[in-house]
Amino acid sequence: DTGVSQDPRHKITKRGQNVTFRCDPISEHNRLYWYRQTLGQGPEFLTYFQNEAQLEKSRLLSDRFSAERPKGSFSTLEIQRTEQGDSAMYLCASSPPVYEQYFGPGTRLTVT
Amino acid sequence: AQKVTQAQTEISVVEKEDVTLDCVYETRDTTYYLFWYKQPPSGELVFLIRRNSFDEQNEISGRYSWNFQKSTSSFNFTITASQVVDSAVYFCALSDPGAQKLVFGQGTRLTINP
């Protein structure tokens, strides 16, 4: 059994470009979460899915951010028109209901 | 709103010392879950423990122990006989019973010196 995987691990992009990240959860985990972590801070919740339904989005998730989880399997997080303030580590986690979340290695985004 | 406070930003001890990491939380929920995660230099968050609000029993796992006190809204973590490999950032987190999204504290950077 593999853990949560994320791709890419690192992304450097220029301001104004669009980026997309992918997360593959642990198989059979029906819940999938996205968090963002900036340097020296704890992760902050962005959004979560139960199966393919996106059930909650944080106010941190501006209109430039969109997430999908087609067919309740992998998930993508897209950021349009990136800004320097988007530079952070983007973490994905998965869990069955009412259990602990298991995190992936994260995607580190640098916007230049 | 839920909130987690880890007042200790950094702790540095010598190997084999015992060390306690403090965590204080705020929530209006009567049912909630508390967690500790470890983030080593590699960056990946590693799950350590989950407790629900109805279970105030302390827990011990090897050199790790946790003290949950509802009366003081605290969930402290103690490492006994610390080792260099324990060096990491440790996060305390709180979740609601529904969505179970995690609210993290700011973390405590623990350095164990040989």
Side-chain angles (χ1 to χ4, degrees), chain A residues 6-80:
Chain A
Q6 293 187 245
D7 184 69
R9 296 290 306 276
H10 303 274
K11 178 71 177 178
I12 300 173
T13 190
K14 292 185 177 179
R15 189 177 55 186
Q17 298 294 304
N18 299 344
V19 294
T20 300
F21 310 141
R22 177 180 169 124
C23 170
D24 286 90
I26 294 171
S27 58
E28 298 173 358
H29 280 189
N30 62 346
R31 289 194 176 197
L32 187 149
Y33 300 79
W34 285 98
Y35 294 84
R36 181 170 68 187
Q37 185 178 22
T38 54
L39 202 61
Q41 303 295 316
E44 295 175 294
F45 169 79
L46 293 178
T47 188
Y48 96 99
F49 294 83
Q50 182 159 304
N51 300 312
E52 65 275 11
Q54 186 174 19
L55 297 185
E56 188 170 341
K57 293 195 293 186
S58 162
R59 280 173 286 181
L60 291 175
L61 217 62
S62 75
D63 292 344
R64 297 183 297 105
F65 288 71
S66 62
E68 293 182 343
R69 193 184 182 196
K71 301 179 182 178
S73 55
F74 70 92
S75 176
T76 59
L77 178 69
E78 180 182 15
I79 309 174
Q80 296 183 327

Side-chain angles (χ1 to χ4, degrees), chain A residues 83-103:
Chain A
E83 302 173 356
Q84 286 190 322
D86 297 331
S87 295
M89 177 77 86
Y90 290 84
L91 297 166
C92 176
S94 71
S95 78
V98 202
Y99 285 99
E100 55 273 8
Q101 295 175 29
Y102 291 90
F103 283 81

Side-chain angles (χ1 to χ4, degrees), chain B:
Chain B
Q2 297 183 322
K3 185 178 178 182
V4 175
T5 301
Q6 295 179 254
Q8 303 151 310
T9 305
E10 294 191 32
I11 298 176
S12 180
V13 301
V14 177
E15 200 171 18
K16 298 184 183 176
E17 285 186 19
D18 299 347
V19 58
T20 295
L21 310 181
D22 297 332
C23 172
V24 174
Y25 63 91
E26 296 174 32
T27 181
R28 293 182 180 176
D29 294 321
T30 53
T31 302
Y32 51 89
Y33 299 90
L34 294 163
F35 302 80
W36 277 94
Y37 282 85
K38 174 181 180 180
Q39 190 171 43
S42 61
E44 190 161 340
L45 281 160
V46 176
F47 166 77
L48 295 178
I49 189 170
R50 177 182 73 115
R51 302 307 300 269
N52 73 54
S53 52
F54 296 108
D55 183 1
E56 287 193 70
Q57 279 192 329
N58 291 333
E59 181 151 342
I60 298 174
S61 176
R63 297 184 296 105
Y64 295 171
S65 62
W66 291 270
N67 182 278
F68 175 29
Q69 292 198 342
K70 234 174 169 176
S71 60
T72 55
S73 297
S74 65
F75 186 43
N76 296 338
F77 172 31
T78 297
I79 302 174
T80 302
S82 59
Q83 300 176 2
V84 173
V85 293
D86 296 326
S87 296
V89 180
Y90 290 86
F91 290 98
C92 180
L94 169 69
S95 80
D96 60 282
Q100 299 193 5
K101 57 184 182 289
L102 295 170
V103 174
F104 285 86
Q106 290 203 314
T108 298
R109 180 177 298 278
L110 177 64
T111 302
I112 310 297
N113 299 298

